[in-house]
Amino acid sequence: AQSVTQLGSHVSVSEGALVLLRCNYSSSVPPYLFWYVQYPNQGLQLLLKYTSAATLVKGINGFEAEFKKSETSFHLTKPSAHMSDAAEYFCAVSAGGATNKLIFGTGTLLAVQP
Amino acid sequence: DAGVIQSPRHEVTEMGQEVTLRCKPISGHNSLFWYRQTMMRGLELLIYFNNNVPIDDSGMPEDRFSAKMPNASFSTLKIQPSEPRDSAVYFCASSPLGGGGNQPQHFGDGTRLSIL
């Protein structure tokens, strides 16, 4: 069965520092992977998705993620954090088959310190 | 383009009352998902529909919860009778079918439900 694990429920960085949010997946088939962001009092918004094309995926707001099959990872990075990046981030993997059901991780709350 | 529209945005009611949450998916999307989000349990999938047909309702907590999708542009999630432990943010999401799972879900802004 498909699953994702997000390491670190809380991550704190300084403004301008590198952001690294970790996600490892388990999938019995080639996975489709997604990162979502949730700002306070809002729904989840798609940041980027991996669908087996390029392994380095660029998303919105300067975020990118690299698919590494050998490490079963799909970590999210941003070179320089901005105060507006403070939010909760969710990694998800497609459940597979004909459905578009997603299996979500438990989320990582990113704090950005001035 | 209009996104997923949920109503109401906030609902406060007393325990024992019936609660109905509404969702309008993005036009042309054939899959619809209902989630519940709490601090304790995180994001939980309650039920999802493909082409208006419920496919998996294994996440529905108990018989007090029911969901319907009478047509492609409308779905409801009903709680009857409501209990304080049902307090949460409920999200609706939609996606196109097909692609073997490579289609992202698009979320509404949620309904914040408080049961007193």
Side-chain angles (χ1 to χ4, degrees), chain A residues 43-62:
Chain A
L44 280 69
Q45 177 183 353
L46 181 69
L47 266 180
L48 49 82
K49 66 177 183 179
Y50 168 74
T51 57
S52 75
T55 56
L56 182 62
V57 182
K58 294 188 183 299
I60 62 172
N61 302 339

Side-chain angles (χ1 to χ4, degrees), chain B residues 1 9 18 24 27 38 56 64 68 83 89:
Chain B
D1 288 342
R9 286 297 314 275
E18 178 178 289
K24 177 179 171 56
S27 178
T38 61
D56 182 357
R64 297 184 297 105
K68 293 182 179 180
E83 297 183 3
V89 182

Side-chain angles (χ1 to χ4, degrees), chain A residues 3 5 11 29 38 56 86 93-94 96 101:
Chain A
S3 67
T5 301
V11 170
V29 297
Q38 184 179 27
L56 182 62
V93 63
S94 176
K101 177 180 174 180

Side-chain angles (χ1 to χ4, degrees), chain B residues 10 18 32 95 105:
Chain B
H10 303 273
E18 178 178 289
L32 184 139
S95 76
Q105 294 179 16

Side-chain angles (χ1 to χ4, degrees), chain A residues 40-101:
Chain A
N41 300 316
Q42 294 186 24
L44 280 69
Q45 177 183 353
L46 181 69
L47 266 180
L48 49 82
K49 66 177 183 179
Y50 168 74
T51 57
S52 75
T55 56
L56 182 62
V57 182
K58 294 188 183 299
I60 62 172
N61 302 339
F63 284 92
E64 62 183 34
E66 186 172 10
F67 174 74
K68 292 187 176 180
K69 184 178 178 180
S70 61
E71 299 178 7
T72 61
S73 69
F74 190 57
H75 301 332
L76 182 70
T77 59
K78 182 174 180 177
S80 177
H82 192 272
M83 297 295 290
S84 60
D85 295 326
E88 189 155 23
Y89 293 79
F90 293 89
C91 181
V93 63
S94 176
T99 177
N100 284 323
K101 177 180 174 180

